[in-house]
Amino acid sequence: MGRPRTFDEDKALESAMRVFWNQGYEDASLADLLADMGLTKGSFYKAFLDKKSLYLAALDLYARQSIVPMVEGLMDRTAGSGHDRILRVFQSIVDMGRSNGDRVGCFLCNAAVDRAAHDPDVELRLNSMFARMEDGFAAALADHLNKGPEAEDVRAGAKALVSQFMGLRVLGRAGQSVRFGDGVLSEVRRLLKLG
Amino acid sequence: MGRPRTFDEDKALESAMRVFWNQGYEDASLADLLADMGLTKGSFYKAFLDKKSLYLAALDLYARQSIVPMVEGLMDRTAGSGHDRILRVFQSIVDMGRSNGDRVGCFLCNAAVDRAAHDPDVELRLNSMFARMEDGFAAALADHLNKGPEAEDVRAGAKALVSQFMGLRVLGRAGQSVRFGDGVLSEVRRLLKLG
DNA sequence: CGTGTTTTGTACCAATCGGTTCCAAACCTT
DNA sequence: AAGGTTTGGAACCGATTGGTACAAAACACG
C-alpha cells in the first residue's frame, strides 16, 4: 500500500552517523547529512523525525555497532586471556592511527565533549555506554587477576582503563595517537603485570 | 590620539574563552560571545579580527592560564615529590568534579575533539600543549623514579599520564568524573608505586 | 484500470549565521 | 576650542540554518 522506499534506512543512518562522527552535531548541517545520506528533505523528515532524533539514532547505532562488539570481545573467555583481550583493544586503536591517520576519534567520545553537557538525552546514552565499557574491562581484568568482576581493585582498574581509552581517542582525534600510542600501550602492559 | 577603549580586552577575551570552552566553536554564536564579552560588533571586529582569530586567542590564553601553571607545578621540585606533584594534578580534577559537577571539561580537550581535525592552526596549538604536558609529567616522573626525564620508560609513563588525564576530562564533561575519578586516582597511585 | 496511500522532490519559510559599512560619539593633541 | 583619530552602535548584507507545505510520482489493492 503506497509508494515504496527508494533508499535503505539503515544505510542512510550509517551515513548520518559517519557525518556526525567526524563533524560533530552543530557542524554537520542538514545539507551535509542529506548529501551523504543520498536523500532529500521530503524523505528525510518522513523517515527520521528531525536532526536531533537522527543524532540520537546515530548514537544508538554506534552503541550497537562499535561498543557492544568491543565489550563482547572483552567478555569472551574464548577470545584469549583477559590480559590479551584488554591489550588488543588498545592495540587496535593505535594500529588504526598508524595506518590511516585516524582523525575520526571515537563517536562516543566526540559526543561526550560536544553534546553531553547540553543534551540530557545524549548524556543518558553516553553514560550507558561508559558503564558497558567499564563492565567489559572489568570482566577481562577479573579473568586476568583471578578475581570476581566486582572486586574493588577490578572496578578501579576497569574505570582507569575506560579513562585511558578515552584519552587515547581524544589524542587520536588531534592526530597524536601514533605519538602517544606506544606510551599508552606499554603502560597498560605494565598495569597488567601487577598482581 | 582617538577615543579610548571602554572595555578591557583581556577580560573580554577571558569571557570569550569561557563561552568557547563550554559551547564549542560552532555552537558559540557571535551573539553569544558578544553578550558574554559585553561589547557590540563594532568594537569586536576592531579589537579581534574575526571569530576564528578570537578562538585561537582564547586557546592561547588557555595555554597561558591553565596549561603552563600546571606544567610548572609538575616541574617545580620545591612543590613536593614527583609522586605528589603528579597525584595532585589528578586529584584536583576529581575534586573539581565533586564540588561543582564540572561539566566544563578541559578546553584543550574540547578543542581537540571539535576543531583539531578541521583546522591546522588549532591543531598546531594543541600539539604544543600536549607536548608541554608530556614534558611536565616526564619531569615529575623522572624525579619520582630517580631517572633522567628522557629515559624511555619515563617518556612512556608521561605519555600514558597525558592520555589518562585527557580521558578523565572527557568523562568529566559527560558528568562522570566522580564515578570514574576514584578508579583513575587509585590506578595512577599504583602506577607510581612501580620502580 | 481506477482509487487510495505512501514517498519524493521542490518551493518556500522565518530565523539566524558571520561579517561589513557608516556615522556619531568620545577622546587626545595642539 | 578646533582638528585629527579612534571607538561604539546600529543598520544592513547575502548566505545558510533547520524545518514545513504541497503537489507530482509510484506503487498496492480492488
Side-chain angles (χ1 to χ4, degrees):
Chain A
M1 39 210 335
R3 180 172 173 176
R5 287 251 163 92
T6 59
F7 67 95
D8 181 336
E9 191 170 326
D10 292 338
K11 296 272 179 200
L13 181 56
E14 207 154 339
S15 293
M17 179 182 73
R18 282 198 313 268
V19 174
F20 279 134
W21 191 340
N22 64 58
Q23 302 193 205
Y25 183 79
E26 293 290 341
D27 198 33
S29 73
L30 216 44
D32 292 337
L33 291 162
L34 294 177
D36 224 80
M37 297 168 82
L39 40 85
T40 56
K41 290 194 174 183
S43 338
F44 168 76
Y45 279 101
K46 192 133 334 192
F48 310 90
L49 191 57
D50 55 13
K51 190 184 176 185
K52 183 185 157 175
S53 302
L54 179 66
Y55 187 75
L56 294 178
L59 273 180
D60 290 337
L61 177 62
Y62 185 75
R64 268 178 278 134
Q65 201 169 61
S66 296
I67 303 298
V68 167
M70 170 181 153
V71 170
E72 281 173 351
L74 282 167
M75 290 184 165
D76 182 6
R77 287 200 165 102
T78 73
S81 69
H83 175 279
D84 288 351
R85 273 135 60 197
I86 291 172
L87 259 180
R88 208 155 44 217
V89 165
F90 284 90
Q91 187 70 58
S92 70
I93 304 302
V94 176
D95 290 345
M96 198 193 316
R98 219 185 300 274
S99 65
N100 59 19
D102 199 3
R103 308 314 302 250
V104 66
C106 161
F107 188 22
L108 161 56
C109 171
N110 297 359
V113 167
D114 77 11
R115 294 307 300 164
H118 303 92
D119 189 332
D121 295 321
V122 172
E123 187 182 358
L124 211 69
R125 284 163 170 81
L126 300 190
N127 290 352
S128 142
M129 291 193 238
F130 287 135
R132 287 195 213 194
M133 289 185 60
E134 182 188 332
D135 288 341
F137 280 123
L141 203 51
D143 286 352
H144 177 59
L145 301 175
N146 279 318
K147 294 189 177 183
E150 297 305 328
E152 201 174 334
D153 57 342
V154 169
R155 298 316 296 188
K159 289 188 173 96
L161 286 170
V162 172
S163 171
Q164 188 75 260
F165 180 83
M166 291 299 150
L168 185 56
R169 310 248 17 198
V170 169
L171 288 163
R173 178 80 164 168
Q176 299 287 300
S177 62
V178 172
R179 177 164 162 72
F180 284 84
D182 288 333
V184 170
L185 269 178
S186 74
E187 286 307 312
V188 170
R189 235 178 258 116
R190 273 187 38 177
L191 185 136
L192 293 173
K193 280 213 185 86
L194 290 173
Chain B
M1 54 262 275
R3 179 176 171 174
R5 288 254 163 89
T6 58
F7 67 95
D8 182 336
E9 192 170 328
D10 292 338
K11 296 273 179 197
L13 181 56
E14 207 153 341
S15 293
M17 178 181 73
R18 281 198 313 268
V19 174
F20 279 133
W21 193 338
N22 63 57
Q23 302 193 205
Y25 183 79
E26 293 289 342
D27 198 33
S29 73
L30 215 44
D32 292 336
L33 292 162
L34 295 176
D36 223 82
M37 298 168 83
L39 40 85
T40 56
K41 290 193 173 182
S43 336
F44 169 76
Y45 279 100
K46 194 135 338 189
F48 310 89
L49 189 57
D50 55 13
K51 190 186 176 184
K52 182 185 158 175
S53 302
L54 179 67
Y55 188 76
L56 294 178
L59 272 181
D60 290 338
L61 177 62
Y62 185 76
R64 267 178 278 132
Q65 203 170 65
S66 296
I67 302 298
V68 168
M70 170 181 153
V71 170
E72 281 172 351
L74 282 168
M75 290 183 162
D76 181 6
R77 287 200 165 100
T78 72
S81 68
H83 175 278
D84 289 350
R85 272 135 60 195
I86 291 172
L87 260 180
R88 208 156 41 219
V89 165
F90 285 90
Q91 186 71 58
S92 70
I93 303 303
V94 176
D95 290 345
M96 199 193 315
R98 220 185 298 276
S99 66
N100 59 19
D102 199 1
R103 310 313 302 251
V104 66
C106 161
F107 189 23
L108 162 56
C109 171
N110 297 358
V113 167
D114 76 12
R115 293 307 300 165
H118 305 91
D119 189 333
D121 295 321
V122 172
E123 187 182 358
L124 211 70
R125 284 164 169 80
L126 300 189
N127 290 352
S128 143
M129 291 193 238
F130 288 135
R132 288 197 212 193
M133 288 184 59
E134 182 187 333
D135 288 342
F137 280 123
L141 203 51
D143 286 352
H144 177 59
L145 301 176
N146 278 319
K147 294 188 177 184
E150 297 305 329
E152 201 174 332
D153 57 341
V154 168
R155 299 315 296 188
K159 288 188 172 96
L161 286 170
V162 171
S163 171
Q164 188 76 259
F165 181 83
M166 291 299 152
L168 185 56
R169 309 244 24 193
V170 169
L171 288 163
R173 177 78 163 170
Q176 299 287 300
S177 62
V178 172
R179 176 164 163 72
F180 284 84
D182 288 333
V184 170
L185 269 177
S186 73
E187 286 307 312
V188 170
R189 232 178 260 118
R190 275 186 39 177
L191 186 136
L192 293 174
K193 279 212 185 89
L194 290 174

